[in-house]
Amino acid sequence: MREDLWLRFLSGPDVDALGVTPSEVVSAVEGVVAAHGRGETVFEPRTHLVPDNDGRGHFNVLRGHVSSLGDHGVSGVKVVGDFVPNYTLGLPSELALLTLYDPHTGVPRCIMDATFVTEARTGAMTAVGAKHLARAGSKVLGHAGARGTAYSNVVMLDALLDLDEVRVTSRRPESREAFAAQLREVLRAEVVVTDSIGEAFDGADVCVEATRLTEPAPLVRREHLAAGSLLVPYGTVSALEADLLEGIDKVVVDDWREAQSGRFGALRAQVDSGALSPETLHAELGDVVTGRRPGRESDEERVLFWHRGLSILDVALGQLLLDRAETADVGTMVRYR
């Protein structure tokens, strides 16, 4: 007799009710980065679906498997939109849906609103990069960009570094002021609003570029980066000057195949031109986390960490949420067949 199959649906409010903390998210992300470094993941670079919508946005399709999760691993697929003008409609720029599967049977286990997953795992990846690549004692953060994953970046970095000063900027004054006000409610650090990226990054220990450009623009320049700083650029459309890598001592990526894929990404032009290549790349972060390659080796190095967002991070954080939901019986059970 055929067994009925059920799966769990987790809405946005369900996910919020699970109360996962920044430290738990960072731990899950660092764990799966290490698993990636040990070869315990099956990872496929993202693909893009670009609808005929007058350039309003596109979809990213991410697929991954993590062998070290659960009894025999977990597989997952996430579809996430990237629609920059959504703020005019009162919507997040990135709305996402994640599905998790049993890799031995193909049975779907969960469907969840992955908007939080996308924001949290992105911020956690920034924090894991800083843990291994930022100068010891880093206390000043410069952050460009005020929407999407920006809040998660700052909160996760603060949880790791216990920041003293956070400088924020964005294209629209009302956006950066609102972002600063949001951060002041949760941070001990002084939050300073600046009018430009140059002001935000000047002398900062960690510089994060999370802008929401629609066309490339050279907003981040070599002179903005102090000796010993860590730059984390991951905007969908590049905000870096063309020859910025000439002032960088080490470039680390989350995954080299992912760095080469698709038409978007902060260092797309540098990959396409050959300025960033297997010969000039220092390491993937998984190799640094597992000790196969050194991270920062001096207080004077300028290090760049480029992460595009790996599907395995979504799978790991999705599984963390599913485990919590099953224990607390949160969500709605939906008959699959």
Side-chain angles (χ1 to χ4, degrees), residues 24 38 49 73 75 98 179 186-187 205 214 230 265 323 326:
E24 289 174 320
R38 295 190 298 266
L49 173 64
S75 301
L98 173 67
F179 184 40
V186 297
L187 299 184
D205 300 306
T214 56
L230 169 67
D323 287 343
E326 289 176 339

Side-chain angles (χ1 to χ4, degrees), residues 56-105:
R56 293 188 63 83
H58 65 277
F59 296 98
N60 302 293
V61 183
L62 297 89
R63 303 146 294 158
H65 169 82
V66 183
S67 301
S68 57
L69 294 176
D71 295 331
H72 47 240
V74 180
S75 301
V77 178
K78 186 183 80 171
V79 179
V80 55
D82 192 346
F83 290 78
V84 174
N86 270 8
Y87 72 91
T88 63
L89 303 174
L91 293 171
S93 302
E94 297 168 310
L95 293 165
L97 197 69
L98 173 67
T99 53
L100 297 178
Y101 303 86
D102 184 318
H104 282 201
T105 64

Side-chain angles (χ1 to χ4, degrees), residues 15-334:
V15 170
D16 294 342
L18 295 173
V20 175
T21 66
S23 61
E24 289 174 320
V25 175
V26 171
S27 178
V29 166
E30 185 171 25
V32 78
V33 169
H36 187 46
R38 295 190 298 266
E40 297 172 355
T41 63
V42 178
F43 166 75
E44 296 291 340
R46 73 181 61 200
T47 59
H48 303 296
L49 173 64
V50 184
D52 181 10
N53 59 10
D54 297 322
R56 293 188 63 83
H58 65 277
F59 296 98
N60 302 293
V61 183
L62 297 89
R63 303 146 294 158
H65 169 82
V66 183
S67 301
S68 57
L69 294 176
D71 295 331
H72 47 240
V74 180
S75 301
V77 178
K78 186 183 80 171
V79 179
V80 55
D82 192 346
F83 290 78
V84 174
N86 270 8
Y87 72 91
T88 63
L89 303 174
L91 293 171
S93 302
E94 297 168 310
L95 293 165
L97 197 69
L98 173 67
T99 53
L100 297 178
Y101 303 86
D102 184 318
H104 282 201
T105 64
V107 171
R109 297 184 57 218
C110 184
I111 301 173
M112 70 175 69
D113 177 347
T115 305
F116 166 79
V117 169
T118 301
E119 294 174 359
R121 61 84 152 145
T122 303
M125 192 61 155
T126 300
V128 171
K131 178 178 179 179
H132 293 273
L133 301 172
R135 184 172 49 195
S138 293
K139 291 293 183 181
V140 179
L141 168 65
H143 195 284
R147 292 187 289 122
T149 55
Y151 179 81
S152 182
N153 278 332
V154 178
V155 171
M156 299 288 180
L157 282 167
D158 183 65
L160 175 74
L161 301 175
D162 190 21
L163 297 165
D164 288 338
E165 182 180 353
V166 176
R167 305 173 192 158
V168 298
T169 192
S170 67
R171 181 175 58 86
R172 295 181 297 119
E174 63 273 22
S175 176
R176 56 184 182 250
E177 291 290 350
F179 184 40
Q182 182 185 26
L183 292 174
R184 290 182 183 119
E185 293 181 356
V186 297
L187 299 184
R188 175 197 63 82
E190 180 183 8
V191 179
V192 178
V193 177
T194 70
D195 294 331
S196 69
I197 290 177
E199 293 176 88
F201 286 5
D202 184 26
D205 300 306
V206 178
C207 303
V208 178
E209 181 274 307
T211 57
R212 310 291 294 157
L213 301 180
T214 56
E215 297 290 339
L219 304 179
V220 179
R221 303 179 180 277
R222 281 185 286 168
E223 62 262 27
H224 296 159
L225 306 175
S229 61
L230 169 67
L231 172 63
V232 186
Y234 70 86
T236 299
V237 177
S238 179
L240 309 182
E241 67 175 347
D243 63 351
L244 183 134
L245 293 188
E246 295 178 14
I248 299 295
D249 297 297
K250 286 179 178 173
V251 177
V252 176
V253 298
D254 50 4
D255 182 272
W256 177 237
R257 285 193 304 152
E258 181 71 275
Q260 298 172 83
S261 71
R263 54 194 274 196
F264 301 106
L267 273 74
R268 174 60 45 227
Q270 286 79 4
V271 171
D272 291 346
S273 71
L276 181 59
S277 68
E279 291 70 36
T280 60
L281 178 69
H282 174 68
E284 293 182 348
L285 185 61
D287 291 328
V288 175
V289 172
T290 56
R292 296 184 180 186
R293 292 283 289 160
R296 173 177 291 276
E297 295 179 278
S298 84
D299 286 347
E300 298 302 309
E301 286 182 318
R302 291 177 176 87
V303 180
L304 186 152
F305 173 47
W306 180 30
H307 62 91
R308 296 200 63 210
L310 303 185
S311 58
I312 54 175
L313 308 185
D314 299 304
V315 173
L317 186 50
Q319 183 62 38
L320 173 65
L321 291 165
L322 178 56
D323 287 343
R324 186 74 57 87
E326 289 176 339
T327 299
D329 194 24
V330 170
T332 302
M333 298 305 296
V334 179

